[in-house]
C-alpha cells in the first residue's frame, strides 16, 4: 500500500509502504456489493431517460441498453 493511499484513511496510516494481499474471493465480494448499486443507478437513469423518450426510438432497444445482468443467479 502506498504511503499516499494509507494517508487517506486514518486507520491505515501505519500501513503505508506495506505489502498487502487479498484473499482469493476479494474481487467476487467487491462485485457482489457493487452489483445492486450499479443496477439501481443504471435503472434509475434508464427510467429518467424513458420519461423523455423520443417517439422514434425503439422501447425494447432502450430497455436493453439500460439492462444490468449478472452471471450469478442470486444477484439478479
Amino acid at each position: 500500500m502506498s504511503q499516499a493511499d494509507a494517508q487517506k484513511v486514518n486507520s491505515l496510516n501505519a500501513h503505508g509502504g506495506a505489502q498487502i494481499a487479498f484473499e482469493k474471493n476479494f474481487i467476487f465480494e467487491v462485485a457482489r456489493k457493487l452489483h445492486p448499486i450499479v443496477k439501481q443507478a443504471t435503472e434509475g437513469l434508464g427510467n429518467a431517460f424513458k420519461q423523455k423518450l423520443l417517439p422514434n426510438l425503439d422501447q425494447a432497444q432502450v430497455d436493453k441498453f439500460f439492462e444490468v445482468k449478472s452471471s450469478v443467479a442470486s444477484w439478479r
Side-chain angles (χ1 to χ4, degrees):
M1 171 176 293
S2 72
Q3 187 63 41
D5 284 336
Q7 290 173 346
K8 294 174 186 174
V9 179
N10 287 337
S11 61
L12 297 178
N13 269 335
H15 302 287
Q19 290 188 7
I20 57 174
F22 298 111
E23 293 182 14
K24 64 182 178 178
N25 63 339
F26 175 77
I27 297 298
F28 178 85
E29 291 300 322
V30 169
R32 182 179 67 82
K33 294 281 190 180
L34 287 177
H35 182 75
I37 296 167
V38 169
K39 183 176 175 68
Q40 181 181 9
T42 302
E43 289 175 350
L45 286 171
N47 290 335
F49 182 83
K50 285 185 261 185
Q51 289 177 359
K52 308 253 186 214
L53 192 61
L54 299 173
N56 61 337
L57 290 179
D58 182 349
Q59 180 73 40
Q61 286 181 327
V62 173
D63 288 341
K64 184 93 173 148
F65 182 79
F66 288 103
E67 183 179 32
V68 176
K69 296 190 291 187
S70 171
S71 60
V72 180
S74 63
W75 295 0
R76 294 182 201 148

